[in-house]
Amino acid sequence: MEHQTASKKHTRSRGRSKKAADPYASAYGIVPFKLFRGREWTPARDLGEAMAGEHVLLFGSVRSVRPLGSARAVVVLFHPLTSSTVRCVVAAGSCEGVTTRAVRFAATLSRETAIDVEGVVTLPESVKVLGTTQQVEVQVRKIHSIGYDRRTKPRDGKLQTSCASIAPRPVKLEESVVEPEEEVGSTGQAGQVLAHIDPETSLNYDCINLPSLVDHATLRIQSEVEFKIMEFLRMKCFVGIHTQSMLVGSNISGRPVFRLEKSNCKMHRCKFIDFGAEMEIMDHYFEVCNIINDLFIELFKHLNGSCKKELETINQQYPFEPLKYQERILMLQYDEGIQMLKEVGTKVKSMAGLSSEHEKRLGRLIREKYDTDLFILHRHPLAVRPLYIMPCVENPSYSNSFDVFIRGEQVISGSQRIHEYELLVKRAAEFGFDMNHMVDYLGLLRYGLPPHGGFSACLYRLVMLFFGLDRI
């Protein structure tokens, strides 16, 4: 009896050992991160029909997982550097090494897990791939997740590896990503869920929200805008001057700026990326406007021509009407803008400045009359401009200043600065400004400065208004 019991135990033990042993275990599972493996990786964005049949090695994170029974699972891999996604199909029996255990492993991967995948590029049969940027599939041969599991206790002093996160995400991926109800379908139709993340949560967990393709596209657009602006200014012989972050004031080049004043609207952020330029003026402050004209036209052409993929991604989730602009930016005097508003019955004081609502309405009127979303309003009343703005020579009640508007909202403010010592002292006295706060600046004027002007703008607002978004 004891012999039979022992025999049964031995049989069960052998059964467990046989079940635990998997000759193809190296084809899937969790591995620690290694700095270098000597393998050649393929960027997900390069995957296309021309690569059908090729063996590839991919790296990225899990965007979504869909188990399809016990013998098949679909993992959507996201490559953050190229903002690309591709379907990876794990099918038991598709090749030697892909077993049902590999399928089970793939089906349990959690979102945002770092993975690498080896497989063969294939074309889907008679259906369109939905929900991914790449219109091909990868038939998985090997799939591994990379990371360590801090949820389980160490065994024998060794840390056990896994692919799960150690805390629930405050921002769910499905809230920030447009995803079709079905990733592949014969009809080519897919219902979409738009992002609904409140601004406070989005700001508090901005880095966690980055897996969104829209966020990646927006960041790339911002990067392109910043790069193009600096490239343009260098081509125009401007010299970059880099300073530490400072309270908002006269700006030189792109840098973080912290706003001192209290505000509670989308026009003001406590921290923003500021860019601008200062330049000599030889004849007229329109020379500054001409720089802005050439800059914007070149910038918008670059975005529309070189960033089509990012524009399509943003338009998919936040549909926008392409920005309308002319080769020469429309320029209107302040009084002309006031007159346009009065002609449609808008109550506005001629010398009191425009409110945000006035500016938006003026933007709509200009769009209807001139078919453009981009315009410059110049020669503002001196009383509503800062003390360092140069008055108009022909009429001191006005100033040599301007604002640039996109879709009826200000994006750039600029002017000719006062370069004469006595005039700036007089203006400061009129404002009741303490001269002790501008001793250094006045010292520069004592030594002599040429006529000069400049402008400043917020990178975020420029991108926001280019797309017509409510916020970035």
Side-chain angles (χ1 to χ4, degrees):
M1 188 70 173
E2 291 180 2
H3 176 72
Q4 291 179 351
T5 303
S7 178
K8 289 180 179 180
K9 289 182 178 179
H10 180 64
T11 302
R12 287 197 297 269
S13 177
R14 284 191 303 173
R16 284 197 299 268
S17 298
K18 184 177 181 181
K19 183 177 180 180
D22 185 354
Y24 303 111
S26 62
Y28 65 93
I30 306 157
V31 295
F33 179 68
K34 296 181 180 179
L35 292 178
F36 180 72
R37 299 183 185 181
R39 298 187 293 174
E40 183 176 350
W41 302 85
T42 301
R45 69 179 175 190
D46 293 345
L47 300 179
E49 295 182 2
M51 296 187 65
E54 292 190 21
H55 187 276
V56 294
L57 175 61
L58 308 174
F59 178 82
S61 59
V62 176
R63 171 49 50 87
S64 65
V65 178
R66 177 166 298 181
L68 300 174
S70 61
R72 194 167 182 263
V74 175
V75 178
V76 175
L77 178 144
F78 171 61
H79 188 232
L81 291 180
T82 60
S83 300
S84 305
T85 51
V86 62
R87 282 170 47 92
C88 301
V89 181
V90 188
S94 59
C95 71
E96 185 178 6
V98 182
T99 64
T100 54
R101 294 190 184 185
V103 175
R104 267 200 310 274
F105 169 77
T108 58
L109 291 171
S110 59
R111 283 184 165 183
E112 296 312 298
T113 299
I115 60 172
D116 62 41
V117 172
E118 291 186 42
V120 177
V121 180
T122 60
L123 303 179
E125 298 179 1
S126 66
V127 293
K128 181 180 179 181
V129 180
L130 300 177
T132 60
T133 61
Q134 309 310 115
Q135 295 300 300
V136 295
E137 295 179 343
V138 174
Q139 301 302 320
V140 175
R141 300 295 182 259
K142 294 182 180 180
I143 181 168
H144 296 92
S145 65
I146 303 169
Y148 294 95
D149 185 4
R150 295 172 178 82
R151 301 174 305 159
T152 59
K153 296 180 180 179
R155 298 178 183 175
D156 302 326
K158 296 181 180 180
L159 191 63
Q160 301 302 305
T161 57
S162 181
C163 56
S165 59
I166 62 176
R169 294 173 59 88
V171 178
K172 294 181 180 180
L173 195 59
E174 57 267 24
E175 292 177 339
S176 62
V177 180
V178 169
E179 291 186 315
E181 295 177 352
E182 294 187 53
E183 293 171 357
V184 174
S186 58
T187 62
Q189 300 295 324
Q192 293 181 341
V193 180
L194 298 182
H196 293 287
I197 303 178
D198 65 274
E200 183 176 356
T201 302
S202 179
L203 290 173
N204 288 341
Y205 301 100
D206 193 34
C207 291
I208 300 178
N209 195 34
L210 289 182
S212 164
L213 288 178
V214 172
D215 281 341
H216 269 267
T218 303
L219 287 174
R220 289 187 181 278
I221 291 292
Q222 290 179 1
S223 178
E224 286 294 316
V225 169
E226 186 172 7
F227 171 78
K228 198 65 181 177
I229 288 171
M230 301 308 293
E231 180 187 55
F232 175 87
L233 292 178
R234 284 197 298 268
M235 291 292 293
K236 294 292 184 179
C237 299
F238 283 80
V239 177
I241 301 177
H242 301 277
T243 63
Q244 295 180 346
S245 301
M246 56 183 291
L247 294 177
V248 65
S250 181
N251 57 299
I252 306 297
S253 60
R255 69 185 188 276
V257 175
F258 297 89
R259 186 177 295 277
L260 181 61
E261 64 188 272
K262 293 182 179 180
S263 58
N264 186 27
C265 66
K266 71 175 184 178
M267 288 185 64
H268 300 92
R269 289 175 57 126
C270 62
K271 178 185 177 182
F272 57 93
I273 301 298
D274 182 61
F275 75 86
E278 304 287 334
M279 57 180 284
E280 292 184 2
I281 295 175
M282 291 176 284
D283 291 316
H284 199 278
Y285 73 95
F286 277 10
E287 293 166 27
V288 184
C289 297
N290 292 337
I291 288 289
I292 294 174
N293 181 94
D294 297 342
L295 167 62
F296 271 21
I297 300 305
E298 185 169 325
L299 173 63
F300 296 154
K301 286 183 177 180
H302 173 73
L303 294 180
N304 289 324
S306 302
C307 304
K308 292 182 180 180
K309 180 180 177 182
E310 287 77 12
L311 299 184
E312 290 173 359
T313 299
I314 296 173
N315 189 52
Q316 181 185 17
Q317 187 151 341
Y318 300 105
F320 64 89
E321 186 177 353
L323 184 71
K324 285 193 173 184
Y325 60 92
Q326 301 170 356
E327 286 296 320
R328 292 298 304 176
I329 298 178
L330 175 68
M331 295 191 65
L332 293 176
Q333 285 193 12
Y334 177 85
D335 287 345
E336 293 179 281
I338 291 292
Q339 185 60 32
M340 289 181 65
L341 289 171
K342 288 183 176 180
E343 287 176 356
V344 294
T346 304
K347 294 182 179 180
V348 56
K349 296 180 180 180
S350 297
M351 304 295 285
L354 297 177
S355 67
S356 296
E357 290 303 316
H358 290 152
E359 292 173 349
K360 291 178 182 178
R361 188 164 192 183
L362 179 60
R364 292 192 293 268
L365 294 174
I366 289 177
R367 172 67 182 267
E368 294 174 1
K369 184 174 182 179
Y370 297 102
D371 195 33
T372 182
D373 292 315
L374 177 62
F375 66 95
I376 294 177
L377 199 64
H378 64 95
R379 202 171 179 266
H380 292 262
L382 185 64
V384 297
R385 307 306 273 188
L387 66 91
Y388 56 83
I389 305 300
M390 178 66 77
C392 287
V393 175
E394 61 272 18
N395 188 342
S397 296
Y398 293 90
S399 64
N400 291 351
S401 65
F402 62 88
D403 289 331
V404 183
F405 292 87
I406 296 179
R407 303 184 193 270
E409 297 190 48
Q410 179 191 329
V411 68
I412 280 184
S413 179
S415 67
Q416 178 181 355
R417 324 303 194 193
I418 292 177
H419 63 282
E420 299 173 0
Y421 176 83
E422 290 80 7
L423 180 55
L424 186 58
V425 170
K426 177 183 177 182
R427 290 280 294 155
E430 293 173 354
F431 271 75
F433 193 80
D434 186 353
M435 303 295 291
N436 293 323
H437 292 313
M438 48 192 310
V439 172
D440 293 338
Y441 187 71
L442 286 172
L444 292 176
L445 299 188
R446 282 179 179 272
Y447 301 125
L449 284 178
H452 63 282
F455 62 90
S456 64
C458 172
L459 174 64
Y460 300 134
R461 281 186 59 77
L462 177 55
V463 176
M464 178 185 75
L465 295 176
F466 178 79
F467 294 106
L469 302 177
D470 290 331
R471 62 183 176 90
I472 289 290

